[in-house]
Amino acid sequence: MAGTSAERPNIRQVAQLAGVSHMTVSRVMNDYPHIKEATRQRVLDVIAELGYRPNQAARALATQRNRRIGVLVENAVSFGPTSTLRAVEFAARTAGYAVSSIALHDGDAATPEEAIEHLTGQGIDALCVVAPRSSSLASIRKISIGVPVLIVKPDRDPTYLTISVDQQQGTILAVDHLVSLGHRDILHLTGPLDWLDARARERAFYQRAKEWGVRQRPIVIGDWSADFAYEYAKGLRELPEYTAVFAANDDTAVGLVHGFSERGFSVPDDISVVGFDDIRLAAHVLPPLTTVHQDFHSLGASVVDMLRAAIEGHDIPHVTRVPSSLIVRGSTAPPRSAR
């Protein structure tokens, strides 16, 4: 039927063929609740048959919404923030929303305030902040943004919507795995502690390690990079007393393995290493890396579901943590004292 006329199908044609009002068609397309499923399906069938596509400019005028989500990303070159952004973009596109994003990097002249001003100037209906630092979050709190805001961070917040992959659960899985192998002296090499995810993993590590009676040794504060971890491991003068390392992320873990190898220490025969993220290369480094898997696809879908609900006036889902899981590979083994 779409080929019988040179004119673009419109909402009133859809309504006429479906036997409903044009307001009902609009509500179906905006995913309003309380519409009979049979009616919803009939409208969707006619939309598909006609090849109807709404005029976005007209929709924005009618609904006072642009169907656009803004995303502010800290350190977008890192795996976690980049993966979260991609997942949000995919989920938003599936839901009929566009995404405008801006990244802040170390040494950037741009401030969080300027980045948010840039995004709100593009007519966003909601804002998502990915991988924030405590310092940038303090800056954001001073801004009157005027649209729903969601922060991807581990802890709930009295002001903003929040969600994250469960950092505490992932850390507990890593520590429990090492303890189950017999390790009782574990080093934690953290990310920068201004980063909320790094701080959450550090807190969870100490809490779980204390519960297991693991030796309480000072943490090593890293910068998320393989280079830092490599230099740290290569600089050791002798085989350390600790028998395992829980690394801040997979980049850090890979740098450790490299540095240990250059010092003549074997992973996992001398030292076990666990990472966090499950980057694509984790299964292909030598040895393959035991790591915590973060489900960024589910995280992105949950971010968009929550923001859509806030934008469109629906009940907001109560999911605040996406489960993580442990992927056991070859970089962990029983401690050398047990062999």
Side-chain angles (χ1 to χ4, degrees), residues 228-274:
F228 175 92
Y230 168 74
E231 294 295 339
Y232 164 79
K234 193 177 73 166
L236 294 172
R237 294 184 178 180
E238 57 186 20
L239 186 65
E241 292 183 4
Y242 55 79
T243 59
V245 182
F246 170 49
N249 62 354
D250 286 352
D251 283 358
T252 299
V254 169
L256 282 173
V257 172
H258 185 192
F260 287 144
S261 176
E262 289 213 357
R263 286 291 295 114
F265 308 149
S266 172
V267 175
D269 293 338
D270 293 322
I271 305 172
S272 289
V273 175
V274 178

Side-chain angles (χ1 to χ4, degrees), residues 35-327:
I35 295 176
K36 291 181 180 179
E37 190 55 38
T39 302
R40 183 188 303 276
Q41 190 58 55
R42 189 164 68 251
V43 170
L44 292 174
D45 289 344
V46 172
I47 288 171
E49 185 179 3
L50 288 177
Y52 170 65
R53 296 291 181 272
N55 184 304
Q56 295 298 331
R59 173 185 275 187
L61 287 172
T63 64
Q64 306 268 301
R65 296 195 296 267
N66 294 313
R67 299 184 71 83
R68 180 173 295 275
I69 294 171
V71 182
L72 170 61
V73 188
E74 298 244 20
N75 199 18
V77 296
S78 294
F79 176 78
T82 301
S83 299
T84 303
L85 173 59
R86 285 202 305 263
V88 170
E89 288 173 336
F90 176 82
R93 186 167 62 249
T94 302
Y97 277 74
V99 169
S100 294
S101 63
I102 189 167
L104 295 179
H105 302 283
D106 290 336
D108 226 332
T111 65
E113 295 93 332
E114 290 168 339
I116 289 173
E117 182 180 359
H118 174 78
L119 290 170
T120 54
Q122 297 185 35
I124 60 173
D125 300 310
L127 174 68
C128 171
V129 182
V130 178
R133 308 178 191 205
S134 55
S135 54
S136 60
L137 187 55
S139 297
I140 291 169
R141 292 189 191 282
K142 301 174 184 177
I143 307 169
S144 178
I145 299 173
V147 297
V149 178
L150 182 149
I151 312 288
V152 179
K153 72 185 190 79
D155 301 315
R156 292 175 183 256
D157 192 283
T159 306
Y160 306 119
L161 299 170
T162 61
I163 191 169
S164 74
V165 174
D166 195 329
Q167 307 295 304
Q168 181 180 33
Q169 178 196 31
T171 301
I172 288 172
L173 289 170
V175 174
D176 287 0
H177 170 65
L178 291 172
V179 169
S180 73
L181 292 172
H183 295 277
R184 294 297 184 274
D185 193 342
I186 305 169
L187 174 73
H188 180 31
L189 199 163
T190 78
L193 294 183
D194 187 37
W195 292 86
L196 300 182
D197 282 355
R199 178 65 74 179
R201 294 172 200 174
E202 183 259 349
R203 286 198 307 260
F205 171 80
Y206 265 127
Q207 179 181 343
R208 195 61 167 179
K210 184 177 181 180
E211 291 170 359
W212 280 115
V214 171
R215 177 176 174 176
Q216 298 289 293
R217 65 168 58 249
I219 60 174
V220 174
I221 301 174
D223 61 4
W224 298 122
S225 75
D227 289 343
F228 175 92
Y230 168 74
E231 294 295 339
Y232 164 79
K234 193 177 73 166
L236 294 172
R237 294 184 178 180
E238 57 186 20
L239 186 65
E241 292 183 4
Y242 55 79
T243 59
V245 182
F246 170 49
N249 62 354
D250 286 352
D251 283 358
T252 299
V254 169
L256 282 173
V257 172
H258 185 192
F260 287 144
S261 176
E262 289 213 357
R263 286 291 295 114
F265 308 149
S266 172
V267 175
D269 293 338
D270 293 322
I271 305 172
S272 289
V273 175
V274 178
F276 207 109
D277 279 339
D278 195 23
I279 63 176
R280 290 183 179 180
L281 287 177
H284 303 290
V285 296
L286 293 176
L289 188 64
T290 295
T291 184
V292 176
H293 175 77
Q294 300 202 74
D295 186 351
F296 293 109
H297 180 79
S298 293
L299 176 63
S302 295
V303 166
V304 173
D305 284 347
M306 294 175 74
L307 289 178
R308 280 187 66 197
I311 293 166
E312 298 171 10
H314 302 166
D315 292 335
I316 296 174
H318 293 294
V319 178
T320 57
R321 291 183 179 178
V322 175
S324 52
S325 57
L326 184 72
I327 309 297

